[in-house]
Each structure stands twice: as C-alpha cells, then as structure tokens.
Amino acid sequence: PAIMIMMVYYYLPFMVLPIYTSLERFNYRLIEASYVLGGSFFSTVRRILLPLNSTGIRAGFFLVFIPSFGEFVIPELMGGC
C-alpha cells in the first residue's frame, strides 16, 4: 500500500496539469446552455464536458501510464523472476 500511495503522490501532478489546462480553455457557456435546455448534471458532464476535454484526459493518461508502467516492468526485467 505504501508504494501505491507514493505513486499516486508522485504522478498526480502529471495527471492534474493537462486536465487543468484543458479545463482552463473550456467555454463554460456551453454548460450553462445545457442547463437552460434541460440537461441534468450527469448528462452535461457525459455529453459536453468529457468529450470536449478528452485531449487533456488522454494526455494526462499517457503522461502517467508510461512512467508508472516502467516502475513495474523494470524491476521485473532486472530481477529475473
């Protein structure tokens, strides 16, 4: 558990920063328009917020996945087990 907590602590900024920059450029009037047209919170997130910010989510995923995958593979390759 300590290793997983350390990895979350270490890799969290690599996930948060791309999502933050994606949300910073987001036009929030689209959310207001969704509410005016009768959209619920969950439908607004699912149909507007996530698709328009998928580039930030995808960039954060790859910035975290590649180094964290190496933290599991390198000891396995070097250990020989």
Side-chain angles (χ1 to χ4, degrees):
I3 293 172
M4 295 303 277
I5 292 170
M6 183 278 310
M7 286 181 66
V8 169
Y9 177 76
Y10 182 73
Y11 290 120
L12 189 65
F14 293 111
M15 187 68 182
V16 170
L17 289 176
I19 293 174
Y20 174 75
T21 57
S22 178
L23 287 172
E24 189 176 12
R25 296 180 298 146
F26 183 70
N27 186 1
Y28 288 99
R29 286 184 275 171
L30 295 172
I31 293 176
E32 183 181 341
S34 173
Y35 288 144
V36 168
L37 293 172
S40 68
F41 172 76
F42 294 111
S43 67
T44 301
V45 168
R46 185 172 48 100
R47 293 185 180 191
I48 294 174
L49 193 63
L50 287 179
L52 292 177
N53 293 310
S54 65
T55 56
I57 296 168
R58 195 175 13 232
F61 172 77
F62 286 118
L63 281 173
V64 170
F65 177 74
I66 293 169
S68 63
F69 183 70
E71 290 207 22
F72 289 106
V73 172
I74 290 173
E76 183 69 30
L77 293 173
M78 297 299 288
C81 292

Short mmCIF file of all heavy atoms in Angstrom, two decimals, residues 19-77:
data_model
loop_
_atom_site.label_atom_id
_atom_site.label_comp_id
_atom_site.label_asym_id
_atom_site.label_seq_id
_atom_site.Cartn_x
_atom_site.Cartn_y
_atom_site.Cartn_z
N ILE A 19 -5.21 18.18 -17.45
CA ILE A 19 -6.66 18.36 -17.31
C ILE A 19 -6.97 19.80 -16.94
O ILE A 19 -7.93 20.39 -17.44
CB ILE A 19 -7.22 17.37 -16.27
CG1 ILE A 19 -7.10 15.94 -16.81
CG2 ILE A 19 -8.67 17.68 -15.95
CD1 ILE A 19 -7.48 14.88 -15.82
N TYR A 20 -6.15 20.39 -16.08
CA TYR A 20 -6.35 21.79 -15.70
C TYR A 20 -6.24 22.71 -16.90
O TYR A 20 -7.05 23.62 -17.08
CB TYR A 20 -5.36 22.19 -14.61
CG TYR A 20 -5.42 23.65 -14.27
CD1 TYR A 20 -6.46 24.16 -13.50
CD2 TYR A 20 -4.45 24.54 -14.72
CE1 TYR A 20 -6.53 25.49 -13.20
CE2 TYR A 20 -4.50 25.87 -14.42
CZ TYR A 20 -5.55 26.35 -13.66
OH TYR A 20 -5.62 27.67 -13.36
N THR A 21 -5.22 22.52 -17.73
CA THR A 21 -5.06 23.38 -18.90
C THR A 21 -6.20 23.19 -19.89
O THR A 21 -6.63 24.14 -20.54
CB THR A 21 -3.72 23.14 -19.59
OG1 THR A 21 -3.61 21.77 -19.96
CG2 THR A 21 -2.57 23.53 -18.69
N SER A 22 -6.69 21.97 -20.00
CA SER A 22 -7.82 21.71 -20.88
C SER A 22 -9.08 22.40 -20.37
O SER A 22 -9.85 22.97 -21.13
CB SER A 22 -8.04 20.20 -21.01
OG SER A 22 -9.14 19.92 -21.81
N LEU A 23 -9.30 22.34 -19.06
CA LEU A 23 -10.47 22.99 -18.47
C LEU A 23 -10.34 24.51 -18.48
O LEU A 23 -11.35 25.22 -18.52
CB LEU A 23 -10.69 22.50 -17.05
CG LEU A 23 -11.23 21.09 -16.90
CD1 LEU A 23 -11.23 20.67 -15.43
CD2 LEU A 23 -12.63 20.99 -17.46
N GLU A 24 -9.12 25.01 -18.45
CA GLU A 24 -8.92 26.45 -18.47
C GLU A 24 -9.35 27.06 -19.80
O GLU A 24 -9.87 28.17 -19.84
CB GLU A 24 -7.45 26.75 -18.20
CG GLU A 24 -7.15 28.20 -17.98
CD GLU A 24 -5.69 28.41 -17.63
OE1 GLU A 24 -4.89 27.49 -17.78
OE2 GLU A 24 -5.37 29.52 -17.20
N ARG A 25 -9.17 26.32 -20.88
CA ARG A 25 -9.56 26.80 -22.20
C ARG A 25 -11.01 26.50 -22.53
O ARG A 25 -11.50 26.89 -23.58
CB ARG A 25 -8.67 26.16 -23.27
CG ARG A 25 -7.23 26.56 -23.14
CD ARG A 25 -6.38 25.92 -24.21
NE ARG A 25 -6.45 24.47 -24.05
CZ ARG A 25 -6.41 23.60 -25.04
NH1 ARG A 25 -6.30 24.01 -26.27
NH2 ARG A 25 -6.48 22.32 -24.80
N PHE A 26 -11.70 25.80 -21.65
CA PHE A 26 -13.07 25.36 -21.91
C PHE A 26 -14.04 26.54 -21.84
O PHE A 26 -13.92 27.40 -20.97
CB PHE A 26 -13.46 24.28 -20.89
CG PHE A 26 -14.83 23.71 -21.10
CD1 PHE A 26 -15.09 22.88 -22.18
CD2 PHE A 26 -15.85 24.00 -20.23
CE1 PHE A 26 -16.34 22.35 -22.36
CE2 PHE A 26 -17.09 23.47 -20.40
CZ PHE A 26 -17.35 22.66 -21.48
N ASN A 27 -15.02 26.58 -22.72
CA ASN A 27 -16.05 27.62 -22.74
C ASN A 27 -17.19 27.18 -21.82
O ASN A 27 -17.97 26.30 -22.17
CB ASN A 27 -16.54 27.83 -24.16
CG ASN A 27 -17.49 29.00 -24.27
OD1 ASN A 27 -17.78 29.66 -23.28
ND2 ASN A 27 -17.96 29.23 -25.47
N TYR A 28 -17.30 27.80 -20.66
CA TYR A 28 -18.29 27.38 -19.67
C TYR A 28 -19.71 27.80 -20.03
O TYR A 28 -20.65 27.38 -19.38
CB TYR A 28 -17.90 27.92 -18.29
CG TYR A 28 -16.70 27.20 -17.74
CD1 TYR A 28 -15.44 27.75 -17.83
CD2 TYR A 28 -16.84 25.94 -17.18
CE1 TYR A 28 -14.34 27.07 -17.35
CE2 TYR A 28 -15.75 25.26 -16.70
CZ TYR A 28 -14.50 25.83 -16.78
OH TYR A 28 -13.42 25.15 -16.31
N ARG A 29 -19.87 28.61 -21.06
CA ARG A 29 -21.22 28.95 -21.51
C ARG A 29 -21.93 27.74 -22.10
O ARG A 29 -23.15 27.70 -22.14
CB ARG A 29 -21.16 30.09 -22.52
CG ARG A 29 -20.85 31.43 -21.85
CD ARG A 29 -20.88 32.53 -22.82
NE ARG A 29 -19.56 32.58 -23.45
CZ ARG A 29 -19.26 33.33 -24.49
NH1 ARG A 29 -20.16 34.08 -25.04
NH2 ARG A 29 -18.04 33.32 -24.98
N LEU A 30 -21.17 26.75 -22.53
CA LEU A 30 -21.79 25.52 -23.03
C LEU A 30 -22.50 24.76 -21.91
O LEU A 30 -23.55 24.16 -22.13
CB LEU A 30 -20.73 24.63 -23.68
CG LEU A 30 -20.06 25.18 -24.93
CD1 LEU A 30 -18.91 24.30 -25.34
CD2 LEU A 30 -21.08 25.30 -26.04
N ILE A 31 -21.94 24.78 -20.72
CA ILE A 31 -22.59 24.12 -19.59
C ILE A 31 -23.86 24.86 -19.22
O ILE A 31 -24.90 24.25 -18.96
CB ILE A 31 -21.62 24.05 -18.38
CG1 ILE A 31 -20.48 23.10 -18.72
CG2 ILE A 31 -22.34 23.61 -17.13
CD1 ILE A 31 -19.42 23.01 -17.66
N GLU A 32 -23.79 26.18 -19.22
CA GLU A 32 -24.99 26.98 -18.94
C GLU A 32 -26.07 26.72 -19.98
O GLU A 32 -27.24 26.59 -19.64
CB GLU A 32 -24.61 28.45 -18.92
CG GLU A 32 -25.75 29.36 -18.56
CD GLU A 32 -25.33 30.82 -18.56
OE1 GLU A 32 -24.13 31.10 -18.49
OE2 GLU A 32 -26.24 31.66 -18.63
N ALA A 33 -25.68 26.62 -21.25
CA ALA A 33 -26.65 26.33 -22.30
C ALA A 33 -27.28 24.96 -22.11
O ALA A 33 -28.47 24.77 -22.35
CB ALA A 33 -25.99 26.42 -23.67
N SER A 34 -26.50 24.00 -21.66
CA SER A 34 -27.03 22.66 -21.41
C SER A 34 -28.07 22.68 -20.30
O SER A 34 -29.12 22.04 -20.41
CB SER A 34 -25.90 21.71 -21.04
OG SER A 34 -26.41 20.46 -20.66
N TYR A 35 -27.79 23.43 -19.24
CA TYR A 35 -28.76 23.53 -18.15
C TYR A 35 -30.03 24.25 -18.58
O TYR A 35 -31.13 23.87 -18.21
CB TYR A 35 -28.15 24.24 -16.94
CG TYR A 35 -27.13 23.41 -16.19
CD1 TYR A 35 -26.03 24.01 -15.63
CD2 TYR A 35 -27.28 22.04 -16.05
CE1 TYR A 35 -25.09 23.27 -14.94
CE2 TYR A 35 -26.35 21.29 -15.36
CZ TYR A 35 -25.27 21.91 -14.81
OH TYR A 35 -24.34 21.17 -14.13
N VAL A 36 -29.88 25.29 -19.40
CA VAL A 36 -31.04 26.04 -19.88
C VAL A 36 -31.92 25.16 -20.76
O VAL A 36 -33.15 25.24 -20.71
CB VAL A 36 -30.59 27.31 -20.64
CG1 VAL A 36 -31.74 27.94 -21.39
CG2 VAL A 36 -29.98 28.31 -19.67
N LEU A 37 -31.29 24.28 -21.52
CA LEU A 37 -32.05 23.39 -22.41
C LEU A 37 -32.56 22.14 -21.71
O LEU A 37 -33.12 21.26 -22.35
CB LEU A 37 -31.18 23.00 -23.60
CG LEU A 37 -30.86 24.16 -24.55
CD1 LEU A 37 -29.85 23.72 -25.59
CD2 LEU A 37 -32.12 24.67 -25.20
N GLY A 38 -32.37 22.04 -20.39
CA GLY A 38 -32.96 20.95 -19.63
C GLY A 38 -32.05 19.77 -19.37
O GLY A 38 -32.52 18.71 -18.95
N GLY A 39 -30.77 19.93 -19.57
CA GLY A 39 -29.85 18.84 -19.31
C GLY A 39 -29.55 18.70 -17.83
O GLY A 39 -29.43 19.69 -17.11
N SER A 40 -29.43 17.47 -17.38
CA SER A 40 -29.07 17.23 -15.98
C SER A 40 -27.56 17.36 -15.82
O SER A 40 -26.81 17.51 -16.79
CB SER A 40 -29.53 15.84 -15.54
OG SER A 40 -28.78 14.85 -16.21
N PHE A 41 -27.11 17.30 -14.58
CA PHE A 41 -25.68 17.41 -14.30
C PHE A 41 -24.91 16.27 -14.97
O PHE A 41 -23.87 16.50 -15.60
CB PHE A 41 -25.44 17.40 -12.79
CG PHE A 41 -24.00 17.31 -12.41
CD1 PHE A 41 -23.18 18.42 -12.50
CD2 PHE A 41 -23.45 16.11 -11.98
CE1 PHE A 41 -21.84 18.34 -12.16
CE2 PHE A 41 -22.12 16.03 -11.63
CZ PHE A 41 -21.32 17.15 -11.72
N PHE A 42 -25.41 15.05 -14.83
CA PHE A 42 -24.70 13.89 -15.37
C PHE A 42 -24.69 13.89 -16.90
O PHE A 42 -23.68 13.54 -17.51
CB PHE A 42 -25.29 12.60 -14.83
CG PHE A 42 -25.09 12.45 -13.35
CD1 PHE A 42 -26.15 12.52 -12.48
CD2 PHE A 42 -23.82 12.27 -12.83
CE1 PHE A 42 -25.96 12.40 -11.11
CE2 PHE A 42 -23.60 12.15 -11.47
CZ PHE A 42 -24.68 12.22 -10.61
N SER A 43 -25.79 14.29 -17.52
CA SER A 43 -25.80 14.33 -18.99
C SER A 43 -24.90 15.45 -19.50
O SER A 43 -24.28 15.31 -20.56
CB SER A 43 -27.22 14.51 -19.51
OG SER A 43 -27.75 15.77 -19.15
N THR A 44 -24.81 16.55 -18.76
CA THR A 44 -23.91 17.63 -19.16
C THR A 44 -22.45 17.19 -19.08
O THR A 44 -21.66 17.46 -19.98
CB THR A 44 -24.14 18.86 -18.25
OG1 THR A 44 -25.49 19.27 -18.38
CG2 THR A 44 -23.22 20.00 -18.63
N VAL A 45 -22.11 16.50 -18.01
CA VAL A 45 -20.73 16.01 -17.88
C VAL A 45 -20.43 14.99 -18.95
O VAL A 45 -19.37 15.03 -19.59
CB VAL A 45 -20.50 15.43 -16.47
CG1 VAL A 45 -19.19 14.67 -16.40
CG2 VAL A 45 -20.53 16.53 -15.43
N ARG A 46 -21.37 14.07 -19.19
CA ARG A 46 -21.13 12.97 -20.13
C ARG A 46 -21.13 13.44 -21.58
O ARG A 46 -20.34 12.95 -22.39
CB ARG A 46 -22.20 11.90 -19.93
CG ARG A 46 -21.99 10.66 -20.76
CD ARG A 46 -22.96 9.57 -20.39
NE ARG A 46 -24.33 10.05 -20.30
CZ ARG A 46 -25.24 9.89 -21.25
NH1 ARG A 46 -24.93 9.25 -22.34
NH2 ARG A 46 -26.46 10.35 -21.10
N ARG A 47 -21.98 14.39 -21.93
CA ARG A 47 -22.11 14.77 -23.34
C ARG A 47 -21.37 16.03 -23.74
O ARG A 47 -21.16 16.27 -24.92
CB ARG A 47 -23.58 14.95 -23.68
CG ARG A 47 -24.33 13.65 -23.61
CD ARG A 47 -25.74 13.83 -24.05
NE ARG A 47 -26.45 12.56 -23.98
CZ ARG A 47 -27.63 12.38 -24.50
NH1 ARG A 47 -28.24 13.35 -25.10
NH2 ARG A 47 -28.20 11.20 -24.40
N ILE A 48 -20.99 16.86 -22.77
CA ILE A 48 -20.33 18.12 -23.11
C ILE A 48 -18.93 18.20 -22.51
O ILE A 48 -17.95 18.40 -23.22
CB ILE A 48 -21.18 19.32 -22.67
CG1 ILE A 48 -22.47 19.35 -23.47
CG2 ILE A 48 -20.42 20.63 -22.85
CD1 ILE A 48 -23.45 20.38 -23.04
N LEU A 49 -18.84 18.04 -21.20
CA LEU A 49 -17.56 18.27 -20.53
C LEU A 49 -16.51 17.23 -20.89
O LEU A 49 -15.37 17.58 -21.24
CB LEU A 49 -17.78 18.31 -19.02
CG LEU A 49 -16.65 18.84 -18.18
CD1 LEU A 49 -16.38 20.29 -18.52
CD2 LEU A 49 -16.97 18.70 -16.71
N LEU A 50 -16.84 15.96 -20.81
CA LEU A 50 -15.86 14.91 -21.11
C LEU A 50 -15.41 14.89 -22.56
O LEU A 50 -14.20 14.82 -22.82
CB LEU A 50 -16.39 13.55 -20.68
CG LEU A 50 -16.44 13.31 -19.17
CD1 LEU A 50 -17.02 11.93 -18.88
CD2 LEU A 50 -15.08 13.44 -18.57
N PRO A 51 -16.31 14.94 -23.53
CA PRO A 51 -15.82 14.91 -24.93
C PRO A 51 -14.95 16.11 -25.31
O PRO A 51 -13.97 15.97 -26.03
CB PRO A 51 -17.09 14.89 -25.77
CG PRO A 51 -18.14 14.37 -24.88
CD PRO A 51 -17.77 14.83 -23.50
N LEU A 52 -15.29 17.30 -24.81
CA LEU A 52 -14.52 18.48 -25.18
C LEU A 52 -13.19 18.57 -24.43
O LEU A 52 -12.30 19.30 -24.86
CB LEU A 52 -15.35 19.74 -24.94
CG LEU A 52 -16.55 19.89 -25.88
CD1 LEU A 52 -17.35 21.13 -25.50
CD2 LEU A 52 -16.09 19.98 -27.32
N ASN A 53 -13.05 17.85 -23.34
CA ASN A 53 -11.80 17.85 -22.58
C ASN A 53 -11.07 16.52 -22.67
O ASN A 53 -10.18 16.24 -21.87
CB ASN A 53 -12.07 18.20 -21.12
CG ASN A 53 -12.53 19.63 -20.98
OD1 ASN A 53 -11.91 20.53 -21.51
ND2 ASN A 53 -13.63 19.81 -20.29
N SER A 54 -11.43 15.71 -23.64
CA SER A 54 -10.80 14.39 -23.76
C SER A 54 -9.32 14.48 -24.13
O SER A 54 -8.55 13.59 -23.78
CB SER A 54 -11.55 13.54 -24.78
OG SER A 54 -11.44 14.11 -26.07
N THR A 55 -8.90 15.54 -24.78
CA THR A 55 -7.48 15.65 -25.12
C THR A 55 -6.63 15.82 -23.85
O THR A 55 -5.56 15.23 -23.75
CB THR A 55 -7.23 16.84 -26.06
OG1 THR A 55 -7.74 18.03 -25.46
CG2 THR A 55 -7.91 16.62 -27.39
N GLY A 56 -7.10 16.60 -22.90
CA GLY A 56 -6.37 16.76 -21.64
C GLY A 56 -6.36 15.48 -20.83
O GLY A 56 -5.36 15.13 -20.21
N ILE A 57 -7.48 14.77 -20.84
CA ILE A 57 -7.56 13.50 -20.11
C ILE A 57 -6.63 12.47 -20.75
O ILE A 57 -5.91 11.75 -20.06
CB ILE A 57 -9.01 12.99 -20.08
CG1 ILE A 57 -9.89 13.97 -19.28
CG2 ILE A 57 -9.10 11.59 -19.50
CD1 ILE A 57 -11.37 13.72 -19.42
N ARG A 58 -6.63 12.42 -22.07
CA ARG A 58 -5.77 11.48 -22.79
C ARG A 58 -4.29 11.81 -22.58
O ARG A 58 -3.47 10.92 -22.36
CB ARG A 58 -6.13 11.50 -24.27
CG ARG A 58 -5.60 10.36 -25.04
CD ARG A 58 -6.08 10.34 -26.49
NE ARG A 58 -6.69 11.59 -26.90
CZ ARG A 58 -7.89 11.67 -27.47
NH1 ARG A 58 -8.58 10.60 -27.70
NH2 ARG A 58 -8.39 12.83 -27.83
N ALA A 59 -3.94 13.09 -22.64
CA ALA A 59 -2.54 13.48 -22.41
C ALA A 59 -2.10 13.13 -21.00
O ALA A 59 -0.99 12.63 -20.79
CB ALA A 59 -2.37 14.98 -22.66
N GLY A 60 -2.96 13.40 -20.02
CA GLY A 60 -2.63 13.04 -18.64
C GLY A 60 -2.48 11.55 -18.45
O GLY A 60 -1.60 11.09 -17.71
N PHE A 61 -3.33 10.79 -19.12
CA PHE A 61 -3.25 9.33 -19.02
C PHE A 61 -1.91 8.83 -19.52
O PHE A 61 -1.24 8.02 -18.85
CB PHE A 61 -4.39 8.68 -19.81
CG PHE A 61 -4.26 7.20 -19.92
CD1 PHE A 61 -4.59 6.39 -18.85
CD2 PHE A 61 -3.81 6.61 -21.08
CE1 PHE A 61 -4.48 5.01 -18.94
CE2 PHE A 61 -3.69 5.24 -21.19
CZ PHE A 61 -4.03 4.43 -20.12
N PHE A 62 -1.47 9.30 -20.67
CA PHE A 62 -0.20 8.82 -21.22
C PHE A 62 1.00 9.35 -20.44
O PHE A 62 2.02 8.67 -20.32
CB PHE A 62 -0.07 9.17 -22.69
CG PHE A 62 -0.95 8.31 -23.55
CD1 PHE A 62 -1.96 8.87 -24.31
CD2 PHE A 62 -0.78 6.94 -23.59
CE1 PHE A 62 -2.78 8.07 -25.09
CE2 PHE A 62 -1.59 6.13 -24.36
CZ PHE A 62 -2.60 6.71 -25.12
N LEU A 63 0.89 10.57 -19.88
CA LEU A 63 1.99 11.08 -19.05
C LEU A 63 2.15 10.29 -17.77
O LEU A 63 3.24 10.24 -17.20
CB LEU A 63 1.75 12.55 -18.72
CG LEU A 63 2.08 13.56 -19.80
CD1 LEU A 63 1.62 14.95 -19.38
CD2 LEU A 63 3.56 13.56 -20.10
N VAL A 64 1.08 9.68 -17.30
CA VAL A 64 1.15 8.88 -16.07
C VAL A 64 1.39 7.41 -16.39
O VAL A 64 2.16 6.74 -15.71
CB VAL A 64 -0.15 9.05 -15.25
CG1 VAL A 64 -0.21 8.06 -14.12
CG2 VAL A 64 -0.24 10.46 -14.72
N PHE A 65 0.76 6.89 -17.43
CA PHE A 65 0.82 5.46 -17.71
C PHE A 65 2.23 5.00 -18.07
O PHE A 65 2.70 3.98 -17.56
CB PHE A 65 -0.15 5.11 -18.84
CG PHE A 65 -0.08 3.67 -19.25
CD1 PHE A 65 -0.63 2.69 -18.44
CD2 PHE A 65 0.53 3.30 -20.43
CE1 PHE A 65 -0.57 1.36 -18.81
CE2 PHE A 65 0.60 1.98 -20.81
CZ PHE A 65 0.04 1.00 -19.99
N ILE A 66 2.90 5.73 -18.93
CA ILE A 66 4.20 5.29 -19.43
C ILE A 66 5.25 5.20 -18.31
O ILE A 66 5.88 4.15 -18.14
CB ILE A 66 4.66 6.18 -20.60
CG1 ILE A 66 3.73 5.95 -21.79
CG2 ILE A 66 6.10 5.89 -20.98
CD1 ILE A 66 3.90 6.93 -22.91
N PRO A 67 5.43 6.24 -17.47
CA PRO A 67 6.42 6.08 -16.39
C PRO A 67 5.99 5.09 -15.31
O PRO A 67 6.82 4.36 -14.77
CB PRO A 67 6.56 7.48 -15.80
CG PRO A 67 5.88 8.40 -16.70
CD PRO A 67 4.97 7.61 -17.56
N SER A 68 4.70 5.04 -14.99
CA SER A 68 4.28 4.12 -13.94
C SER A 68 4.37 2.67 -14.42
O SER A 68 4.64 1.77 -13.62
CB SER A 68 2.86 4.44 -13.48
OG SER A 68 1.93 4.26 -14.52
N PHE A 69 4.16 2.44 -15.71
CA PHE A 69 4.34 1.09 -16.25
C PHE A 69 5.80 0.67 -16.12
O PHE A 69 6.10 -0.49 -15.81
CB PHE A 69 3.90 1.06 -17.71
CG PHE A 69 3.98 -0.29 -18.34
CD1 PHE A 69 3.09 -1.29 -17.97
CD2 PHE A 69 4.93 -0.57 -19.30
CE1 PHE A 69 3.16 -2.54 -18.54
CE2 PHE A 69 4.99 -1.82 -19.89
CZ PHE A 69 4.11 -2.80 -19.51
N GLY A 70 6.70 1.62 -16.33
CA GLY A 70 8.13 1.33 -16.18
C GLY A 70 8.51 0.97 -14.76
O GLY A 70 9.44 0.20 -14.54
N GLU A 71 7.79 1.53 -13.78
CA GLU A 71 8.11 1.21 -12.39
C GLU A 71 7.78 -0.24 -12.06
O GLU A 71 8.32 -0.78 -11.10
CB GLU A 71 7.34 2.14 -11.45
CG GLU A 71 7.86 3.54 -11.51
CD GLU A 71 7.62 4.29 -10.23
OE1 GLU A 71 7.44 3.65 -9.19
OE2 GLU A 71 7.64 5.53 -10.29
N PHE A 72 6.92 -0.87 -12.81
CA PHE A 72 6.59 -2.28 -12.58
C PHE A 72 7.41 -3.20 -13.48
O PHE A 72 7.78 -4.29 -13.09
CB PHE A 72 5.11 -2.54 -12.82
CG PHE A 72 4.23 -1.95 -11.78
CD1 PHE A 72 3.48 -0.83 -12.05
CD2 PHE A 72 4.16 -2.49 -10.51
CE1 PHE A 72 2.67 -0.26 -11.08
CE2 PHE A 72 3.36 -1.96 -9.53
CZ PHE A 72 2.60 -0.83 -9.82
N VAL A 73 7.70 -2.76 -14.70
CA VAL A 73 8.38 -3.63 -15.66
C VAL A 73 9.88 -3.70 -15.40
O VAL A 73 10.47 -4.78 -15.49
CB VAL A 73 8.10 -3.14 -17.10
CG1 VAL A 73 8.94 -3.88 -18.10
CG2 VAL A 73 6.63 -3.32 -17.42
N ILE A 74 10.52 -2.59 -15.11
CA ILE A 74 11.98 -2.58 -14.93
C ILE A 74 12.43 -3.49 -13.80
O ILE A 74 13.36 -4.29 -13.98
CB ILE A 74 12.50 -1.13 -14.76
CG1 ILE A 74 12.35 -0.40 -16.09
CG2 ILE A 74 13.94 -1.12 -14.29
CD1 ILE A 74 12.65 1.06 -16.01
N PRO A 75 11.81 -3.47 -12.62
CA PRO A 75 12.24 -4.42 -11.59
C PRO A 75 12.00 -5.88 -12.00
O PRO A 75 12.79 -6.77 -11.64
CB PRO A 75 11.39 -4.07 -10.36
CG PRO A 75 11.02 -2.67 -10.56
CD PRO A 75 10.88 -2.49 -12.05
N GLU A 76 10.96 -6.11 -12.76
CA GLU A 76 10.68 -7.48 -13.22
C GLU A 76 11.77 -7.93 -14.20
O GLU A 76 12.24 -9.07 -14.14
CB GLU A 76 9.32 -7.54 -13.89
CG GLU A 76 8.90 -8.90 -14.33
CD GLU A 76 8.59 -9.83 -13.15
OE1 GLU A 76 8.17 -9.35 -12.09
OE2 GLU A 76 8.79 -11.04 -13.32
N LEU A 77 12.18 -7.05 -15.10
CA LEU A 77 13.22 -7.41 -16.06
C LEU A 77 14.59 -7.54 -15.41
O LEU A 77 15.38 -8.42 -15.75
CB LEU A 77 13.27 -6.37 -17.18
CG LEU A 77 12.07 -6.30 -18.11
CD1 LEU A 77 12.20 -5.12 -19.06
CD2 LEU A 77 11.91 -7.59 -18.87
#
